[in-house]
């Protein structure tokens, strides 16, 4: 059964039960009011007749005549009067004598002063009445046919009204459940349209601060996380292609060179040596890229060890200059690193990934500036926030290139983004995003300052 039907039925049942309790209480209250009023009527009748007989001195036969004639037309209480020795003094109609007044009953009236009870459907009241110094025991009985008729009609009206009321409650239940569940329907409809190709779609948020809005927001947050990791995976695949292309191109070039014509053993050895170096680089790169892939899920899976950052910078420079002889990288220390301070140059890092990051920054500085020069400055700053190491290592990559416009500074770290100066060199827009990811993986930061006279990228670890 659908939730909507369940809500409707629950609503109808609960409201129906409340209606039933309400109607039952009304009927009960009407019934007890009738009973009380009729006992009052019987009491009045009993006292009035006794007063007429023994105070006003009316003839018993007159009263009996009135009783007989009234009985046919309206409710008339049948009254009997006894004295305290239980002898009958007056009776409206001894032939009818509905209430058989036993000595026990009269005794009870005498002791209690007043009793009321039912005999079949008839209500009977017995009471003690005093006129001058004479005590009378009076009984009065009658059937409240008007009262019962009213009660009966009230019951019929209630039954007749409760059927359309239940139908109306059921219809309102359908309306209410539709109103409550419509947003869920819309959320379901929208969620069905979300696939791997349109993860940017979001569920409707009604901003009503209710449970449904909370559910939609939670779903949207989950979708945002999914979209991010999906995008990250896509970017990562592109990163791999980008990183593998250079050594592969170099191996292909060497092999083509060898195959172009017969080569001397020296040339053969040199080319094979070069191809082997590239293949080893490829192998190292693929395992480090695998590290990076793992890092996207769990950084604890990456192999970190103590490395000297200045040595990693030297290796990166060597790699860059081997591939681009016209480039120049000048590495210098901003301060004297004493023997104790050498520790500051040692960080826990993944050597290959760090080298990749530094290589990207050096390459960018060289390729975008006309003098193809990158100045690298290493400095250590004391870090008051970190009481353990006490130092932050800062590496600046400075160039005298065209600089980066202010509106591009934030965007250059987005995967595949290439700036307006992209015509200055080939590229794919992946280098800086990869560098940023690596630096963040090492709990470092990367920032850039740029003007017309060049750019400075600062990595802090
Ligand atoms: P690529 O260099 O392959 O385009 P990157 O991610 O390395 O990709 O860089 C993104 C963009 O940032 C570049 O397209 C370029 O516009 C800008 N950029 C990066 N480094 C520099 C730099 N040193 N000087 C000027 N522009 C730079």
């Amino acid at each position: 059964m659908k939730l909507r039907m369940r809500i409707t039925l629950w609503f109808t049942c609960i409201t129906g039960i409340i209606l039933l309790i309400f109607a039952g209480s009304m009927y009960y209250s009407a019934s007890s009011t009738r009973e009380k009023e009729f006992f009052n009527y019987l009491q009045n009748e009993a006292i009035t007749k006794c007063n007429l007989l023994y105070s006003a001195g009316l003839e018993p036969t007159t009263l009996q005549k009135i009783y007989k004639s009234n009985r046919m037309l309206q409710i008339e209480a049948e009254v009997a009067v006894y004295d305290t020795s239980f002898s009958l003094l007056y009776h409206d109609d001894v032939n009818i004598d509905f209430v058989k007044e036993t000595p026990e009953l009269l005794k009870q009236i005498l002791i209690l002063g007043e009793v009321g009870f039912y005999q079949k459907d008839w209500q009977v009241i017995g009471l003690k009445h005093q006129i001058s110094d004479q005590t009378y025991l009076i009984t009065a009985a009658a059937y409240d046919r008007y009262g019962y008729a009213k009660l009966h009609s009230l019951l019929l009206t209630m039954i007749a009204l409760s059927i359309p009321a239940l139908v109306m409650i059921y219809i309102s239940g359908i309306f209410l459940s539709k109103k409550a569940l419509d947003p869920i329907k819309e959320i379901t409809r929208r969620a069905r349209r979300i696939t791997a190709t349109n993860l940017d779609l979001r569920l409707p948020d009604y901003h009503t601060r209710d449970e449904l809005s909370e559910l939609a927001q939670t779903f949207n947050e989950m979708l945002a996380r999914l979209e991010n990791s999906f995008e990250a995976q896509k970017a990562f695949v592109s990163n791999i292609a980008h990183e593998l292309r250079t050594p592969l191109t170099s191996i292909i070039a060497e092999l083509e060179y060898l195959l172009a014509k017969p080569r001397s053993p020296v040339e053969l050895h040199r080319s094979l040596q070069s191809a082997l170096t590239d293949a080893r680089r490829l192998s190292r790169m693929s395992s480090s890229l695998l590290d990076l892939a793992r890092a996207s899920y769990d950084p604890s899976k990456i192999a970190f060890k103590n490395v000297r950052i200045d040595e990693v910078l030297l290796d990166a420079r060597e790699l860059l200059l081997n591939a681009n002889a016209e480039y120049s990288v000048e590495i210098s220390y901003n301060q004297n690193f004493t023997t104790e301070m050498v520790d500051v140059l040692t960080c826990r890092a993944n050597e290959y990934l760090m080298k990749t990051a530094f290589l990207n920054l050096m390459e960018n500085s060289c390729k975008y500036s006309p003098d193809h020069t990158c100045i690298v400055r290493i400095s250590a700053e004391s870090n008051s926030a970190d009481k353990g190491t006490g130092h932050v290592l800062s590496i600046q990559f400075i160039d005298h290139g065209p600089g980066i416009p202010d509106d591009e500074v934030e965007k250059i770290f987005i995967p595949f983004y290439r700036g307006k100066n992209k015509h200055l060199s080939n590229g794919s827009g992946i280098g800086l995003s990869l560098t940023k990811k690596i630096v963040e993986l090492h709990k470092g930061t990367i920032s850039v300052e740029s003007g017309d006279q060049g750019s400075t990228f600062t990595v802090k670890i």
Side-chain angles (χ1 to χ4, degrees):
M1 195 191 283
K2 286 213 163 186
L3 182 63
R4 196 175 144 184
M5 196 59 197
R6 278 216 299 269
I7 292 179
T8 309
L9 288 182
W10 271 108
F11 178 74
T12 313
C13 282
I14 291 169
T15 325
I17 289 169
I18 293 172
L19 200 77
L20 210 74
I21 293 171
F22 183 70
S25 317
M26 271 192 36
Y27 184 81
Y28 175 77
S29 154
S31 162
S32 51
T33 309
R34 183 212 61 76
E35 184 186 76
K36 224 195 272 157
E37 281 179 354
F38 201 66
F39 273 129
N40 283 344
Y41 158 76
L42 289 177
Q43 194 182 36
N44 288 342
E45 277 289 289
I47 293 171
T48 310
K49 280 190 180 173
C50 190
N51 284 346
L52 283 173
L53 285 168
Y54 305 108
S55 185
L58 196 73
E59 274 300 308
T61 45
T62 316
L63 216 51
Q64 280 163 344
K65 263 186 205 156
I66 294 172
Y67 171 74
K68 273 179 195 153
S69 57
N70 278 1
R71 233 186 124 234
M72 300 299 135
L73 308 168
Q74 61 187 51
I75 300 170
E76 187 65 32
E78 187 200 85
V79 175
V81 183
Y82 292 82
D83 61 14
T84 44
S85 52
F86 307 157
S87 316
L88 180 66
L89 300 178
Y90 169 80
H91 201 293
D92 271 335
D93 192 341
V94 276
N95 295 328
I96 300 172
D97 193 22
F98 184 77
V99 184
K100 302 280 181 257
E101 290 88 357
T102 56
E104 285 75 36
L105 172 65
L106 294 169
K107 201 171 165 190
Q108 212 179 353
I109 296 169
L110 189 64
I111 295 166
L112 297 174
E114 185 174 324
V115 291
F117 59 92
Y118 280 85
Q119 190 169 311
K120 292 196 178 150
D121 287 341
W122 282 50
Q123 262 172 266
V124 184
I125 191 164
L127 54 94
K128 200 161 77 174
H129 185 55
Q130 190 87 24
I131 298 174
S132 304
D133 52 354
Q134 185 69 39
T135 302
Y136 298 95
L137 304 176
I138 319 166
T139 62
Y143 174 68
D144 183 12
R145 60 174 186 273
Y146 298 140
Y148 280 120
K150 271 197 244 167
L151 269 185
H152 186 64
S153 113
L154 178 70
L155 187 69
L156 286 183
T157 313
M158 278 175 173
I159 293 171
L161 283 182
S162 60
I163 293 166
L166 276 177
V167 173
M168 273 159 70
I169 290 168
Y170 179 72
I171 294 169
S172 341
I174 293 177
F175 173 75
L176 277 179
S177 59
K178 182 175 159 20
K179 209 81 198 109
L181 297 180
D182 266 359
I184 294 189
K185 241 181 167 177
E186 176 61 16
I187 288 175
T188 315
R189 198 179 60 79
R190 195 77 79 83
R192 262 198 205 114
R193 282 172 47 208
I194 300 173
T195 61
T197 48
N198 57 7
L199 272 177
D200 57 318
L201 275 187
R202 292 290 177 268
L203 301 181
D205 185 356
Y206 299 101
H207 300 290
T208 42
R209 291 191 184 186
D210 56 13
E211 289 82 351
L212 284 180
S213 171
E214 212 174 293
L215 178 75
Q217 272 173 26
T218 314
F219 260 114
N220 284 342
E221 281 162 19
M222 186 187 80
L223 282 172
R225 286 197 299 274
L226 277 179
E227 191 187 5
N228 277 347
S229 67
F230 213 72
E231 287 303 318
Q233 294 223 3
K234 272 197 326 206
F236 182 70
V237 172
S238 307
N239 288 347
I240 293 178
H242 173 83
E243 290 299 312
L244 296 186
R245 202 180 49 205
T246 321
L248 275 175
T249 314
S250 162
I251 292 172
I252 291 166
E254 289 291 352
L255 295 177
E256 277 174 352
Y257 169 78
L258 283 183
L259 291 173
K261 58 176 185 175
R263 302 286 173 191
S264 67
V266 178
E267 278 178 314
L268 198 68
H269 184 266
R270 191 197 53 77
S271 290
L272 282 177
Q273 187 62 52
S274 164
L276 184 65
T277 310
D278 281 329
R280 281 196 179 124
R281 204 179 137 205
L282 258 180
S283 154
R284 273 203 314 275
M285 198 184 289
S286 65
S287 49
S288 289
L289 280 171
L290 210 66
D291 274 351
L292 185 62
R294 280 204 210 109
S296 303
Y297 303 103
D298 182 4
S300 65
K301 298 267 163 57
I302 287 199
F304 284 93
K305 59 176 186 169
N306 283 344
V307 288
R308 280 276 300 261
I309 291 297
D310 49 350
E311 284 172 9
V312 179
L313 282 165
L314 286 171
D315 286 351
R317 178 175 74 166
E318 196 187 329
L319 273 176
L320 183 68
L321 299 188
N322 280 350
N324 306 276
E326 74 278 22
Y327 288 178
S328 154
V329 178
E330 295 165 17
I331 301 177
S332 63
Y333 299 94
N334 251 10
Q335 67 222 71
N336 267 343
F337 284 89
T338 55
T339 328
E340 300 91 65
M341 290 286 277
V342 164
D343 277 356
V344 178
L345 290 168
T346 308
C347 293
R348 290 217 47 93
N350 179 286
E351 194 177 345
Y352 171 76
L353 293 178
M354 263 304 174
K355 207 185 297 174
T356 308
F358 293 156
L359 185 71
N360 279 334
L361 291 169
M362 287 176 186
E363 190 180 10
N364 276 354
S365 292
C366 293
K367 77 181 181 186
Y368 287 110
S369 41
D371 59 359
H372 299 309
T373 302
C374 173
I375 298 160
V376 181
R377 292 228 173 99
I378 309 169
S379 59
E381 299 164 12
S382 65
N383 178 17
S384 51
D386 187 345
K387 292 192 181 84
T389 59
H391 283 94
V392 173
L393 202 59
S394 167
I395 308 122
Q396 290 181 307
F397 300 81
I398 306 161
D399 67 60
H400 300 107
I404 302 161
D406 284 349
D407 59 325
E408 284 187 359
V409 167
E410 289 293 319
K411 297 181 196 157
I412 54 174
F413 294 102
I414 297 170
F416 305 111
Y417 183 83
R418 299 207 71 210
K420 291 189 193 87
N421 56 17
K422 62 181 179 202
H423 59 278
L424 295 175
S425 177
N426 286 334
S428 58
I430 292 172
L432 279 183
S433 65
L434 182 60
T435 302
K436 187 166 190 257
K437 189 163 178 80
I438 293 172
V439 171
E440 283 172 355
L441 214 62
H442 288 80
K443 300 202 167 41
T445 57
I446 180 165
S447 58
V448 56
E449 274 174 49
S450 192
D452 296 339
Q453 286 306 306
S455 316
T456 302
F457 284 82
T458 308
V459 174
K460 288 189 177 178
I461 305 167

